Amino acid sequence: MFDRRAFFQDTIGRLLHKAVQRAEQRVAPKRWFRPPGAAPEVAFVAACTRCGDCIDVCPVHAILKTPASGGGFAAGTPYIDPTVRACIACADMPCAAACETGALTVPENVNGRGIWADVRMGVLELDPQRCITFQGAACGVCARACPIGEAALALDERGQPVLKPEACVGCGVCVTACVTSPSSLKLRLV
């Protein structure tokens, strides 16, 4: 009897969780790159008081305030535009530490993997048609600029970028460092 009850509770719990996720995606789709440690979009928008504390402590001023026009419910919340100024993946994540509401939280350092281990602000994509290393030119600026290092972005034996999504945090440093215009690298929302 107990195993059956636990089975039904677990099954119903997972179904409800998926239903809530789908409803959130329809009601409030993520349209902004959020600072590291951001709660899921609906929870983030609800918890954020628009105080600007995270903006004030960002050492590179990568965090901006969502404009009132076009921001909807998210107006005034912090976001990052990785094409303009990237997050530099600070070791101590001061933006999340400054948030008193839980909209941003510093992730736990689980098993010594570091606070950035499970952070995904965006998903990195490479356009080989634009990247000069695929046309025979030497470069590697993106890999040298990556604050996460070879675990996230490395160069192969030909000197071409190799993306490693399992470690990439989606900070955008490589996007802004890229020498091509527009950048050969781009981030898309998670």
Side-chain angles (χ1 to χ4, degrees):
M1 180 75 156
F2 178 72
D3 290 337
R4 186 172 156 183
R5 180 178 292 178
F7 168 77
F8 283 116
Q9 285 176 335
D10 182 54
T11 302
I12 291 171
R14 280 189 275 137
L15 288 172
L16 284 172
H17 180 73
K18 286 184 181 186
V20 167
Q21 281 182 322
R22 287 186 180 140
E24 284 183 352
Q25 289 170 352
R26 281 193 305 269
V27 172
K30 188 172 178 185
R31 300 184 321 162
W32 310 94
F33 288 97
R34 297 299 185 188
E41 189 67 8
V42 171
F44 176 81
V45 171
C48 181
T49 61
R50 286 96 169 135
C51 67
D53 288 350
C54 59
I55 295 169
D56 296 339
V57 298
C58 180
V60 294
H61 310 288
I63 304 174
L64 308 167
K65 201 168 255 207
T66 305
S69 62
F73 290 119
T77 59
Y79 77 102
I80 295 174
D81 183 347
T83 63
V84 175
R85 175 115 6 177
C87 167
I88 60 168
C90 300
D92 57 351
M93 212 178 284
C95 55
C99 182
E100 296 180 9
T101 67
L104 301 175
T105 57
V106 178
E108 302 241 349
N109 184 355
V110 180
N111 298 326
R113 295 179 5 184
I115 61 174
W116 286 92
D118 295 319
V119 173
R120 299 293 174 270
M121 295 182 286
V123 176
L124 187 63
E125 297 174 341
L126 171 68
D127 181 354
Q129 300 293 334
R130 186 171 300 288
C131 179
I132 62 174
T133 63
F134 289 86
Q135 279 80 48
C139 185
V141 169
C142 58
R144 287 190 301 276
C146 179
I148 306 303
E150 288 188 3
L153 180 58
L155 298 176
D156 66 13
E157 63 281 349
R158 296 179 309 268
Q160 297 170 341
V162 176
L163 309 181
K164 299 181 179 180
E166 63 279 0
C168 178
V169 300
C171 64
V173 169
C174 59
V175 175
T176 57
C178 180
V179 299
T180 64
S181 182
S183 179
S184 301
L185 296 155
K186 71 176 183 176
L187 284 175
R188 66 175 168 79
L189 292 170
V190 178

